[in-house]
Amino acid sequence: MIRPIKRQDCQAIAQMEASCFNDAWDEKAYAKEWEKTYAKGWMIDGIGYIWTWFLYENAEIVRVGVLPEARNQGYAKKLVAYAMQAAKQADCTQMILEVRVSNAPAIAAYQECGLEISHCSKQHYADGQDAYVMIGKDRKSTH
């Protein structure tokens, strides 16, 4: 069950993050994010989370993580779809995210959610790896 992230979840989110990423945000970083009025997050307890910024007509997924033992079971896709629905309800017309070019399972999941590769951001990550910038648009709002 997907539910909103609460302030008291920041430690659990940071622990999941540490299992997912080498450049993990810590509890303090998540606590700061939680205080931002434009930032929203959702989680599936013990499985994964997503953190999104809502900025005017744009929504940007800034973090999405699923614990290694729960990957390839559709959880990231569910979280992204949930965030995209929240963005639509917030009148956002565009969803943006960056993903490592080497992360084929995530790219495929995001494409299934309607996101498309826009362009490549060279040496986007601290380790020098490139990122694809993926964008999804609310088709109704473009007519």
Side-chain angles (χ1 to χ4, degrees):
M1 167 124 177
I2 298 174
R3 67 170 181 83
I5 292 173
K6 300 173 187 163
R7 170 62 182 93
Q8 59 264 32
D9 295 321
C10 290
Q11 181 179 8
I13 296 297
Q15 288 172 347
M16 281 194 277
E17 174 102 354
S19 296
C20 296
F21 300 107
N22 292 330
D23 63 344
W25 290 3
D26 61 14
E27 181 181 355
K28 190 175 182 178
Y30 272 104
K32 282 179 104 172
E33 281 294 310
W34 192 85
E35 293 173 4
K36 295 176 180 174
T37 58
Y38 57 85
K40 305 276 185 247
W42 298 274
M43 66 187 293
I44 302 171
D45 286 319
I47 293 174
Y49 59 92
I50 191 164
W51 203 258
T52 306
W53 291 345
F54 293 87
L55 304 163
Y56 306 102
E57 72 279 0
N58 294 314
E60 181 174 355
I61 296 172
V62 292
R63 300 302 268 189
V64 58
V66 173
L67 290 174
E69 60 271 18
R71 290 183 184 156
N72 300 311
Q73 297 177 46
Y75 292 116
K77 191 165 66 171
K78 287 177 185 177
L79 287 162
V80 169
Y82 194 93
M84 289 180 78
Q85 185 61 35
K88 187 175 182 178
Q89 290 174 350
D91 293 326
C92 294
T93 58
Q94 184 169 261
M95 175 67 80
I96 303 166
L97 66 78
E98 294 93 22
V99 59
R100 289 178 180 271
V101 296
S102 63
N103 195 344
I107 294 165
Y110 302 153
Q111 287 173 324
E112 287 180 36
C113 289
L115 294 161
E116 299 172 355
I117 295 171
S118 168
H119 61 279
C120 184
S121 176
K122 297 291 183 186
Q123 298 182 339
H124 183 84
Y125 295 100
D127 64 4
Q129 192 171 140
D130 297 346
Y132 286 134
V133 176
M134 298 186 75
I135 298 174
K137 296 189 180 204
D138 180 359
R139 304 288 186 239
K140 282 194 218 174
S141 63
T142 59
H143 297 300

